[in-house]
Amino acid sequence: MPRTTVHVCSQCGYQSAQWHGQCPGCEAWNTLVEERLAAGAGERRSGGSARGRQRLRGVGGASGTAQRAPARPLREVGSAPAPRMSTGVGELDRVLGGGLVGGSLVLLGGSPGIGKSTITNMVLGNLQQTGHRTLYVSGEESAEQVRLRAERLGPGALGVPVLAETDLDVVLDTIAAEAPQACVIDSVQTLRAAELSGAPGSVGQVREVAGRIMELAKAQGVAVILVGHVTKEGALAGPRVLEHLVDCVLQFEGERERPYRELRALKNRFGSTNEAGLFEMRQGGLVEVLDASARFVAEATRAPGSVVLAAMEGSRPLLVEVQALVAPSELEQPRRVVSGFDRNRLALVLAILSRHGRVGTGGADVFVNVVGGVRVDEPGCDLAVALAVASASCGIPLSGTPRACFGELGLTGELRWVGHPERRLEEAAKHGCGSVIAPRDSGGDACEVGTLLEALGEALPARERRPARAA
Ligand code: TYD
Ligand code: MG
């Protein structure tokens, strides 16, 4: 049987028929990835078709083998906006930039149990109900299991045709025959290309599976959502290699035990990557959370250690509660536990607090939590974390609770301007958080301060009269 695959080193391009742990070319370890030999590759390399050769000779006998293609100035290239299919899930449509685009590939990543199958089921159900042809390919669950889930998601979801299959060729043939307008592959790590010997989910397999699905999707104009798992470290495992290939990378985040889920775009060829959508997992599937700020502010405890952060989620303002707990430590190296915020950033905020805010936490365990399982990673969160820790450390609630704030902390203790202050202030005012502590030049009727120390004076006026507990 002729050889159909080859092992290629991803570092130096060395090719070998067998797999080697160490590349014979560059001596790097574990870099050989199995790939399918392109059909007719040899033929093309040795001179192309007779017609091609003749044409080339006609234009002056150039030694190249490829056919010349005309290049056009960009202004002559048509720019019709890509037609969109609304998924029926408003938050997802917004993150995608207005809906699914025909012929596009979307990679949806997230840890197990986060709700990837649920949301994709809902999307296909909605599309099916609005008269689109759909197909749900499940490599993980049997058709019966998919049905059990769909029963919870309403009548639309039960109308979706399902294929429980892991063989790539069967899946491709089915897509070609059914000609769906939208198709979900759940998950890309479970499909297997028969030509490659690697296990499903290996880099070679995942690349091959996605590459061939993409060819078909582009040719037929199918909008494909590829579901992918992420590793414990939070990176898209295996599918990481697909990030370049696909048009859009969506990440589903949140904690399994908590009901809130956040959907973010990490890459989007058809829209912004700033958008994020918020969902809640309920009995009947994922429900969009449209009044998140109101909910988080109402839930804020207003106790020592609680602060409302006026954050930006993409282009949308969002008020979230940041909580801190500072307790004497019994460990030589006190604990720094953080959820929903960057751990290194916490270390920095604690250092600035102790150096420029006279709040020492050296001998104490510090816990910081962004309530509701929401993750905030924008520079505007620094001040909220600092005020929450300071308030927890001296056991005094912030003045005028629920007190909102935002701003980035500089290494010299200054409070720095952050983007969209007017939208943050507007949102805070709308939800009853008056007198927001904000950096200078934020405008509106914010309580503007220039340094961390001034912010602490505003938020914890009583602190000056009491010694810090955990210093
Ligand atoms: P699932 O979508 O299967 O997660 P993933 O495909 O990302 O691994 O579902 C995750 C969890 O959601 C599962 O533990 C059950 C729960 N769930 C609900 O709470 N309500 C529902 O309506 C559905 C369908 C699932
Ligand atoms: Mg699943």
Side-chain angles (χ1 to χ4, degrees):
M1 201 178 112
R3 201 152 52 85
T4 58
T5 67
V6 64
H7 293 86
V8 182
C9 172
S10 50
Q11 284 200 4
C12 71
Y14 181 91
Q15 299 196 353
S16 154
Q18 284 97 40
W19 185 80
H20 299 274
Q22 187 180 25
C23 172
C26 66
E27 300 189 344
W29 285 93
N30 293 324
T31 53
L32 261 68
V33 175
E34 189 179 26
E35 284 178 11
R36 189 166 49 107
L37 273 174
E43 215 178 276
R44 237 180 286 138
R45 260 183 223 123
S46 62
S49 67
R51 238 175 76 214
R53 271 200 300 274
Q54 224 160 15
R55 194 165 38 232
L56 281 171
R57 237 178 265 131
V59 294
S63 59
T65 55
Q67 200 180 316
R68 182 180 174 273
R72 288 178 292 163
L74 284 171
R75 80 177 74 82
E76 288 171 23
V77 177
S79 65
R84 306 261 188 179
M85 277 183 280
S86 168
T87 62
V89 182
E91 293 282 276
L92 175 63
D93 277 350
R94 208 165 47 77
V95 173
L96 284 170
L100 280 172
V101 177
S104 73
L105 236 70
V106 176
L107 176 63
L108 173 66
S111 41
I114 203 84
K116 301 180 295 298
S117 304
T118 306
I119 196 167
T120 47
N121 256 242
M122 287 169 61
V123 166
L124 290 192
N126 293 341
L127 286 171
Q128 187 77 26
Q129 267 195 325
T130 50
H132 296 88
R133 291 185 309 279
T134 63
L135 178 66
Y136 187 91
V137 177
S138 174
E140 284 184 357
E141 296 164 308
S142 65
E144 290 76 20
Q145 283 170 311
V146 177
R147 189 205 147 110
L148 277 179
R149 178 184 307 103
E151 279 172 5
R152 301 167 71 170
L153 303 177
L158 285 171
V160 176
V162 61
L163 170 73
E165 183 57 64
T166 55
D167 186 325
L168 177 63
D169 292 317
V170 177
V171 170
L172 290 176
D173 287 350
T174 311
I175 295 177
E178 299 266 325
Q181 289 162 290
C183 172
V184 168
I185 309 285
D186 189 4
S187 67
V188 66
Q189 280 124 317
T190 49
L191 294 201
R192 183 167 187 282
E195 303 92 325
L196 306 191
S197 58
S202 62
V203 175
Q205 283 281 2
V206 166
R207 215 154 58 178
E208 173 73 10
V209 166
R212 294 206 15 221
I213 289 175
M214 185 178 72
E215 272 169 33
L216 187 65
K218 301 265 175 218
Q220 290 199 4
V222 195
V224 178
I225 302 180
L226 296 173
V227 173
H229 293 292
V230 297
T231 55
K232 283 203 199 86
E233 295 79 44
L236 281 163
R240 183 105 231 177
V241 295
L242 302 184
E243 286 186 2
H244 311 282
L245 189 84
V246 300
D247 299 300
C248 185
V249 180
L250 302 183
Q251 176 94 310
F252 219 172
E253 292 170 355
E255 289 162 47
R256 212 159 16 153
E257 311 75 43
R258 307 257 187 87
Y260 294 113
R261 305 276 186 269
E262 223 178 336
L263 188 70
R264 286 166 187 277
L266 306 183
K267 165 182 173 177
N268 194 350
R269 285 192 185 142
F270 307 111
S272 149
T273 51
N274 282 329
E275 298 298 338
L278 200 63
F279 295 90
E280 190 179 353
M281 185 59 100
R282 296 239 191 103
Q283 265 312 312
L286 288 156
V287 183
E288 298 162 51
V289 181
L290 299 172
D291 57 344
S293 291
R295 230 192 261 197
F296 289 136
V297 172
E299 285 171 5
T301 64
R302 306 169 190 210
S306 158
V307 179
V308 173
L309 160 67
M312 288 301 293
E313 276 290 341
S315 60
R316 240 186 0 173
L318 176 70
L319 303 180
V320 284
E321 184 191 7
V322 176
Q323 291 189 345
L325 172 68
V326 177
S329 181
E330 284 156 15
L331 301 171
E332 199 150 297
Q333 242 191 347
R335 257 183 240 143
R336 302 283 180 254
V337 182
V338 54
S339 118
F341 184 70
D342 182 40
R343 199 164 182 274
N344 292 327
R345 198 80 204 166
L346 173 66
L348 185 77
V349 169
L350 292 183
I352 297 172
L353 259 180
S354 107
R355 199 80 182 86
H356 300 289
R358 302 203 304 268
V359 179
T361 50
D365 288 335
V366 178
F367 304 86
V368 173
N369 180 26
V370 182
V371 178
V374 179
R375 186 168 177 83
V376 285
D377 35 29
E378 56 131 356
C381 326
D382 291 356
L383 182 63
V385 173
L387 292 185
V389 171
S391 157
S393 162
C394 57
I396 307 173
L398 256 61
S399 69
T401 52
R403 193 81 191 248
C405 68
F406 63 90
E408 180 182 3
L409 290 179
L411 295 188
T412 57
E414 82 279 19
L415 193 63
R416 306 178 70 96
W417 188 87
V418 288
H420 308 295
E422 66 301 328
R423 283 197 224 165
R424 298 176 198 249
L425 290 171
E426 209 177 285
E427 184 81 354
K430 202 164 98 191
H431 294 96
C433 302
S435 186
V436 180
I437 304 177
R440 294 240 161 86
D441 299 326
S442 291
D445 49 6
C447 168
E448 293 183 2
V449 293
T451 63
L452 171 64
L453 208 54
E454 283 174 48
L456 287 169
E458 272 296 330
L460 298 163
R463 185 178 79 115
E464 307 302 324
R465 298 188 291 274
R466 272 167 58 173
R469 262 199 227 154

